[in-house]
Amino acid sequence: MALIIQKYGGSSVADADKIKNVALRIAKAKAEGNNVVAVVSAMGDTTDELIHLAQQISEYPEEREFDVLLSTGEVISSTLLAMALGNLGCKAVSLTGAQAGIHTDSNYNRARILRVNTERIISELNKDNVVIVAGFQGVTSNMDITTLGRGGSDTTAVALAAGLSADMCQIYTDVEGIYTADPRLVPHTSKLDRIGYEEMLEMASYGAKVIHPRAVELGELYNVPILVASSFSDTPGTIICKEASMDMEVKNKVTGIAHDTNVAKITVVGIPDRPGVAMTIFEPLARANISVDTIVQNASTEKITDLTFTVTQDDLYKAMSIVEPVANSIGGKQCVADSTLAKVSIIGSGMQNTPGYAARMFHALSEQSINIQLITTSEIRITCIISRDSVKDAVQVLHRAFELESV
Ligand code: ADP
Ligand code: ASP
Ligand code: MG
């Protein structure tokens, strides 16, 4: 009997009818002779609504309470789905993340799964139950509830697939797979049959929110192939798996374009250009668990320099409150924040060691008169930071420039 992990995202369980549709799909997989563990997200925009509610009470809610609040969205959808399966005569039990044995560190709001204790799930499967797990949440060693970061239910699913050595991990969503760019932004995107973990991780980390980056990381680490497909149709979808070496040799192109509008920039103006200054600024940010992306320091002539870096827009307030006093203490003139930015990235393992991609990207952006503020690269990615207003034009022009309409 195969063990399948299925994950259904928020839009797939957005109302009672959609939950019933998901129940039918799960009951079918079960009737075909599989053991099924289904991970669910919160219904529709529930998580956004809970965030909004908390912010009406407190502008910066206490992190522990905030995570308990957010975790309730997934608890609601998991119970409703278990009821819908019961109505179909399919035995099902819902479990919270804690009940399902998802143990995390205590970084509220962005916790990482440390281990999965699969005992309870296995005992429920042995009773012939379909197990419905509330995604996006776990529990610390102190039994406090944590959440895994926006989109984190994907990570719950892949972690369970790894922990249970499942035969398959299927992520069902509102698009039919992974496309060469966000199909909601670009007309004529192409669906990929498969994509390697490495490329998918870059896509997801740089804004392709179709899958949570940590889910891809875990998939690669534990060698779990992940299917991304639609919960509304039976079209085949995209497999995220190891890149076959043959493909790597023949492939010499950009695989996809990612964009991210959750970007802010901080510039620390007029700081001394001497050893230890970067450490003084970035150490407290790291201690506060703020992840810093692009970092640029101007070459100084007068031993005074400017330092610019990006954080997520969500972290901007916290980052500024840390950096401003530090910058003052080392004689900085001022800290300037800009939260009107976006990142646009081209990604492809075929770019490795091949010249010309950056020039082609900059050419395409310049033809649209899009100003590049910062640039960052990895071996298989080039990212430009641009104004948020231009992001749609940028993704569309790059999609055309790299001939992704017919892959
Ligand atoms: P779910 O609620 O199922 O987790 P998400 O909204 O998190 O769904 O992710 C699905 C969305 O990801 C799609 O509706 C699409 O707009 C977006 N997306 C961004 N980039 C891509 C891409 N390259 N391929 C497919 N979808 C993408
Ligand atoms: N409900 C959470 C969110 O909206 C987690 C998820 O959907 O994966 O981010
Ligand atoms: Mg998602």
Side-chain angles (χ1 to χ4, degrees):
M1 202 182 225
L3 171 60
I4 299 180
I5 313 297
Q6 298 190 332
K7 179 258 168 177
Y8 291 93
S11 44
S12 307
V13 292
D15 57 36
D17 283 341
K18 289 191 173 128
I19 290 177
K20 288 179 191 167
N21 167 54
V22 166
L24 282 170
R25 296 177 67 101
I26 294 173
K28 182 163 171 267
K30 177 75 179 148
E32 285 167 356
N34 302 296
N35 269 323
V36 184
V37 175
V39 175
V40 279
S41 292
M43 295 170 70
D45 296 328
T46 303
T47 308
D48 290 331
E49 286 157 14
L50 291 171
I51 292 171
H52 183 63
L53 199 56
Q55 283 167 347
Q56 284 173 277
I57 303 285
S58 160
E59 198 179 355
Y60 298 102
E62 211 276 307
E63 289 183 320
R64 180 189 177 281
E65 304 311 320
F66 192 56
D67 270 17
V68 180
L69 176 72
L70 293 199
S71 72
T72 62
E74 272 67 11
V75 177
I76 294 172
S77 46
S78 65
T79 55
L80 293 173
L81 183 54
M83 291 175 203
L85 278 159
N87 283 347
L88 297 175
C90 183
K91 278 190 358 155
V93 59
S94 67
L95 299 177
T96 64
Q99 288 174 314
I102 310 278
H103 293 269
T104 71
D105 61 23
S106 51
N107 286 313
Y108 293 112
N109 229 252
R110 62 185 77 183
R112 281 165 81 94
I113 297 176
L114 300 176
R115 74 195 159 82
V116 182
N117 179 349
T118 54
E119 248 172 68
R120 176 72 189 271
I121 296 185
I122 290 172
S123 104
E124 297 298 343
L125 290 173
N126 287 339
K127 291 183 221 157
D128 204 33
N129 276 319
V130 167
V131 182
I132 314 290
V133 178
F136 173 58
Q137 56 188 271
V139 65
T140 67
S141 53
N142 287 335
M143 296 304 289
D144 285 319
I145 306 291
T146 52
T147 62
L148 310 180
R150 297 305 304 267
S153 299
D154 300 330
T155 298
T156 307
V158 178
L160 286 177
L164 291 160
S165 303
D167 297 281
M168 183 93 90
C169 184
Q170 304 169 334
I171 307 278
Y172 289 110
T173 182
D174 58 358
V175 284
E176 291 187 344
I178 313 289
Y179 287 77
T180 45
D182 186 342
R184 300 196 192 286
L185 208 69
V186 182
H188 314 302
T189 46
S190 315
K191 190 173 80 189
L192 304 167
D193 293 335
R194 42 186 264 144
I195 181 168
Y197 292 116
E198 212 191 344
E199 288 182 333
M200 192 64 238
L201 182 58
E202 292 278 353
M203 293 268 288
S205 305
Y206 281 80
K209 68 163 195 158
V210 61
I211 186 163
H212 196 233
R214 183 78 184 134
V216 185
E217 243 170 18
L218 288 181
E220 181 166 28
L221 197 59
Y222 295 99
N223 202 11
V224 179
I226 306 167
L227 170 78
V228 177
S230 166
S231 59
F232 302 104
S233 76
D234 288 321
T235 26
T238 303
I239 296 273
I240 308 170
C241 56
K242 265 199 191 117
E243 190 74 84
S245 54
M246 246 318 273
D247 281 11
M248 292 277 285
E249 281 160 28
V250 293
K251 211 158 121 184
N252 185 23
K253 60 206 299 284
V254 167
T255 300
I257 315 286
H259 73 280
D260 187 355
T261 50
N262 186 5
V263 184
K265 176 177 89 171
I266 296 178
T267 303
V268 190
V269 182
I271 47 173
D273 188 9
R274 61 171 152 76
V277 164
M279 176 197 75
T280 317
I281 292 176
F282 292 117
E283 263 188 0
L285 288 170
R287 271 198 301 276
N289 207 15
I290 292 175
S291 111
V292 172
D293 195 47
T294 317
I295 304 174
V296 178
Q297 183 173 329
N298 291 343
S300 74
T301 44
E302 307 288 325
K303 294 275 174 217
I304 295 285
T305 188
D306 299 342
L307 184 71
T308 299
F309 58 92
T310 59
V311 293
T312 63
Q313 211 187 348
D314 304 335
D315 279 340
L316 180 60
Y317 171 84
K318 195 167 165 190
M320 278 296 271
S321 68
I322 291 171
V323 169
E324 271 184 321
V326 174
N328 273 338
S329 73
I330 53 173
K333 286 204 186 78
Q334 59 169 333
C335 288
V336 186
D338 183 350
S339 59
T340 61
L341 301 173
K343 281 181 203 158
V344 61
S345 306
I346 58 168
I347 290 135
S349 44
M351 289 175 7
Q352 258 172 112
N353 307 321
T354 315
Y357 286 95
R360 208 159 141 196
M361 180 178 195
F362 304 155
H363 185 90
L365 292 175
S366 83
E367 277 194 339
Q368 287 286 314
S369 307
I370 295 171
N371 187 36
I372 302 169
Q373 301 201 20
L374 298 168
I375 299 160
T376 149
T377 63
S378 79
E379 280 194 338
I380 63 163
R381 172 186 48 81
I382 304 170
T383 299
C384 293
I385 310 233
I386 58 175
S387 123
R388 193 169 303 149
D389 294 343
S390 316
V391 75
K392 188 172 177 184
D393 288 345
V395 178
Q396 291 186 351
V397 74
L398 291 172
H399 199 262
R400 277 198 303 277
F402 288 97
E403 295 161 7
L404 292 175
E405 288 171 12
S406 54
V407 293

